[in-house]
């Protein structure tokens, strides 16, 4: 059975760091997070979506990036943490929904695309959330997941793990005032499937043509897939 996250812990954790969440992200990534989102937005623009759900939208940075490349698309941002949605609203996003990924308040086949950036890893059940996403995506609609992964190079992986568990929590704790939130980050990245394990999970959860694209030496990856037409 795949590991599950405690939704109340996750909600409380993100609520506690919401005011300085963006600052911490930009600082800890050295600003590379802007490039990751730009890459995602370019991929999504090739789908030419009419209606797209940015799930676990958080403070809305990915939804804003996608708006810049998909001006004709209706983009809905959804998150189960109200303080994070408030930050997204402050940035000008209007089409926001307070929703839990495990039980989305949308009809079947409501969207022709879904993006999830650094959010699936925090959900109660990865397979359950993916199956719920498959329900609200139209047949052959697209899904894209952007999340942390582990480098394939053994030496780089060792150095990255040291950063995750010893350096990152201290810096982030100083920025946000909540070191425990970033202790959790490292632990969650270690548990989260990546590479072939993630594409297999997608294939088992109602999708096909799953692909993995490692970025920045493998510390993050983009996963894309299409919803199978036979999903009920």
């Amino acid at each position: 059975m795949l590991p599950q996250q405690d939704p109340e812990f996750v909600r409380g954790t993100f609520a506690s760091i919401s005011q300085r969440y963006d600052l911490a992200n930009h600082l800890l990534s050295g600003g590379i997070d802007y490039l990751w989102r730009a890459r995602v937005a370019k991929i999504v623009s090739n789908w030419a979506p009419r209606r797209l759900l940015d799930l676990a939208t958080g403070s809305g940075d990915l939804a804003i990036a996608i708006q810049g490349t998909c001006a004709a698309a209706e983009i809905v941002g959804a998150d189960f943490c109200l303080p994070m949605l408030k930050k997204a609203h402050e940035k000008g996003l209007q089409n926001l929904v307070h929703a839990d990924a495990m039980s989305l308040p949308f009809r079947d086949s409501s969207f022709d695309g879904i993006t999830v950036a650094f959010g699936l890893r925090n959900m109660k059940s990865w397979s359950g959330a993916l199956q719920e996403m498959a329900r609200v995506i139209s047949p052959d609609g697209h899904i894209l997941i952007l999340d942390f992964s582990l480098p394939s190079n053994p030496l780089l992986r060792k150095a990255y793990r040291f950063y995750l568990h010893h350096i990152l929590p201290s810096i982030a704790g100083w920025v946000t005032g909540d070191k425990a939130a970033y202790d959790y980050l490292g632990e969650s990245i270690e548990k989260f499937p990546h590479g072939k394990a993630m594409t297999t999970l997608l294939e088992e959860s109602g999708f096909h043509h799953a692909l993995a694209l490692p970025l920045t030496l493998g510390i993050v990856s983009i996963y894309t897939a299409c919803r199978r037409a036979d999903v009920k």
Side-chain angles (χ1 to χ4, degrees):
M1 183 176 180
L2 290 172
Q4 296 184 336
Q5 308 295 359
D6 177 353
E8 292 309 314
F9 170 80
V10 172
R11 195 192 325 265
T13 294
F14 280 94
S16 72
I17 63 175
S18 61
Q19 293 302 312
R20 310 201 82 184
Y21 176 78
D22 289 340
L23 174 61
N25 283 352
H26 305 329
L27 178 63
L28 293 169
S29 70
I32 300 175
D33 58 313
Y34 289 103
L35 300 180
W36 298 335
R37 286 190 293 274
R39 186 68 176 270
V40 169
K42 183 176 181 181
I43 291 171
V44 172
S45 71
N46 291 329
W47 302 347
R50 297 180 303 278
R51 191 166 190 249
L52 182 131
L53 174 63
D54 183 42
L55 189 56
T57 196
S59 62
D61 278 354
L62 182 59
I64 291 168
I66 294 171
Q67 279 185 339
T69 61
C70 302
E74 177 189 357
I75 299 173
V76 178
D79 204 291
F80 81 155
C81 180
L82 280 172
M84 294 297 285
L85 282 177
K86 181 179 179 182
K87 297 300 293 183
H89 186 264
E90 289 172 357
K91 293 179 181 180
L93 292 175
Q94 302 297 320
N95 206 356
L96 299 171
V97 178
H98 184 220
D100 190 325
M102 302 304 301
S103 182
L104 293 170
F106 307 113
R107 294 191 301 271
D108 295 358
S109 303
S110 296
F111 301 92
D112 52 358
I114 290 182
T115 55
V116 190
F118 307 107
L120 178 61
R121 174 171 39 84
N122 300 310
M123 294 175 187
K124 181 179 179 181
S125 167
W126 304 323
S127 59
L130 287 170
Q131 289 165 20
E132 179 67 351
M133 292 178 220
R135 179 185 68 78
V136 303
I137 297 179
S138 58
D140 293 321
H142 297 270
I143 187 172
L144 183 151
I145 297 163
L146 170 67
D147 217 311
F148 292 109
S149 50
L150 294 174
S152 58
N153 180 283
L155 290 178
L156 183 57
R157 181 180 294 205
K158 184 177 180 179
Y160 180 55
R161 280 176 161 155
F162 182 83
Y163 172 75
L164 275 182
H165 297 292
H166 300 285
I167 298 175
L168 182 149
S170 297
I171 297 173
W174 174 73
V175 173
T176 66
D178 191 346
K179 179 177 178 294
Y182 291 88
D183 287 327
Y184 159 77
L185 174 63
E187 294 166 3
S188 69
I189 292 170
E190 292 277 8
K191 293 178 181 179
F192 194 57
H194 61 278
K196 178 63 176 175
M198 177 54 73
T199 57
T200 298
L201 179 58
L202 283 163
E203 299 274 358
E204 292 173 347
S205 302
F207 298 92
H208 63 168
H209 297 149
L211 298 173
L213 174 64
L215 301 177
T216 318
L217 302 175
I219 66 172
V220 300
S221 293
I222 292 174
Y223 304 95
T224 57
C226 295
R227 203 207 84 169
R228 294 200 316 264
D230 62 344
V231 171
K232 300 294 186 180

